[in-house]
Amino acid sequence: MEIVIVADPEAVATVAADAIQRLVTDLPTPVLGLATGSSPLGTYRALIERHRSGGLSFAHCRAFLLDEYVGLPAGHPEAYRTFIERELTDQIDLPPDALAGPDGRPENLATAPARYEQRIAESGGIDLQLLGIGSDGHIGFNEPTSSLGSRTRLKTLTDATRTDNARFFGGDADAVPRHVLTQGIGTILEAGHLVLLATGSSKAEPVARAVEGPLTAMVPASALQLHPHATVIVDEAAAGRLTNAGYYREAFANKPAWQHI
Ligand code: F6R
């Protein structure tokens, strides 16, 4: 795992956007894995800016969401499909039918997980998966005790996650759906490159547990330790609890110019 410590959230966004830009430029049919929530917003703003002023095109890309709430009506502002359309895909040239997310309609729950896995497989697999980390260590909505081999499935959110996400629902944790569909940890681990973004001191503890703690289902993000190409990009505040921060800084600063994240 490579740990990249940069000054602030803007620098986190720049490093992540650079990695996505390289992939989108180099591959004939890139497949992007998109996270929602606040962590990737700076990265999305940087990509939109590069599309508008630098001509970066996503017309040849496909994109898959990590997760979706169950039971929010189509078009609900906090449904993750609506969120990603608003924050990214409506502002770039990704074809609308190139975006897929888990189908969170209650009547489809029995078949939606397998269909989503199949769509990802048919795309040839996700090349780069963006991830945030929950205060309880989750990735996607794989809450603590999620199997490290899990596939896309229905999960129940912890009270901690519903409280964290209340800010998107007018501050009301009870308005946050209790159930979600999420790519499993096993699904996420099949992406070619995992890029986890974290900013702010509230992420310092889960980042340290994921990066330097033991591999454990109690900290789902620790599963990144199993991946051959995982990059954790953090600002100084989110790096605050890392024991080996000096080593990570030195390793990144001395990277040869040709060696990208
Ligand atoms: C979002 C997702 C979640 C978030 C995590 C952090 O699609 O899967 O794992 O990445 O809850 O959320 P923020 O970035 O809002 O702190």
Side-chain angles (χ1 to χ4, degrees), residues 44-74:
Y44 296 156
R45 279 193 290 270
L47 292 173
I48 292 164
E49 172 57 25
R50 291 173 194 202
H51 168 68
R52 286 187 182 150
S53 60
L56 179 64
S57 176
F58 298 85
H60 58 310
C61 296
R62 298 200 58 183
F64 288 91
L65 290 178
L66 261 182
D67 39 23
E68 183 57 275
Y69 290 115
V70 167
L72 290 185

Side-chain angles (χ1 to χ4, degrees), residues 35-39 66-67 80 132-134 138-141 167-168 203:
T36 50
S38 53
S39 301
L66 261 182
D67 39 23
Y80 278 167
I133 182 168
H138 71 223
I139 47 172
F141 274 139
R167 67 192 195 280
F168 297 113
K203 297 294 172 77

Side-chain angles (χ1 to χ4, degrees), residues 16 20 31-45 47-48 62-69 78-89 92 94 99-102 116 126 128-134 138-142 165 167-168 181-183 188 191 193-198 203 224:
I20 294 171
V31 183
L32 303 174
L34 302 176
T36 50
S38 53
S39 301
L41 287 179
T43 305
Y44 296 156
R45 279 193 290 270
L47 292 173
I48 292 164
R62 298 200 58 183
F64 288 91
L65 290 178
L66 261 182
D67 39 23
E68 183 57 275
Y69 290 115
E78 296 311 326
Y80 278 167
R81 191 179 177 100
T82 319
F83 179 102
I84 205 72
E85 287 170 351
R86 182 177 64 237
E87 302 294 345
L88 178 65
T89 60
I92 56 175
L94 183 83
L99 171 67
Y116 198 54
I126 291 169
L128 184 152
Q129 177 67 59
L130 278 182
L131 298 165
I133 182 168
H138 71 223
I139 47 172
F141 274 139
N142 295 283
N165 286 7
R167 67 192 195 280
F168 297 113
L181 286 181
T182 180
Q183 286 187 34
I188 292 168
H193 184 192
L194 300 182
V195 178
L196 187 144
L197 312 176
K203 297 294 172 77
L224 267 67

Side-chain angles (χ1 to χ4, degrees), residues 108-164:
N108 294 341
L109 285 180
T111 53
R115 276 193 286 114
Y116 198 54
E117 290 276 338
Q118 194 181 341
R119 282 188 82 170
I120 295 173
E122 284 168 1
S123 76
I126 291 169
D127 293 303
L128 184 152
Q129 177 67 59
L130 278 182
L131 298 165
I133 182 168
S135 59
D136 63 2
H138 71 223
I139 47 172
F141 274 139
N142 295 283
E143 298 285 31
T145 71
S146 287
S147 160
L148 300 181
S150 51
R151 311 300 308 185
T152 301
R153 70 211 183 289
L154 181 73
K155 282 296 286 182
T156 303
L157 295 181
T158 60
D159 287 343
T161 297
R162 293 178 79 218
T163 301
D164 285 346

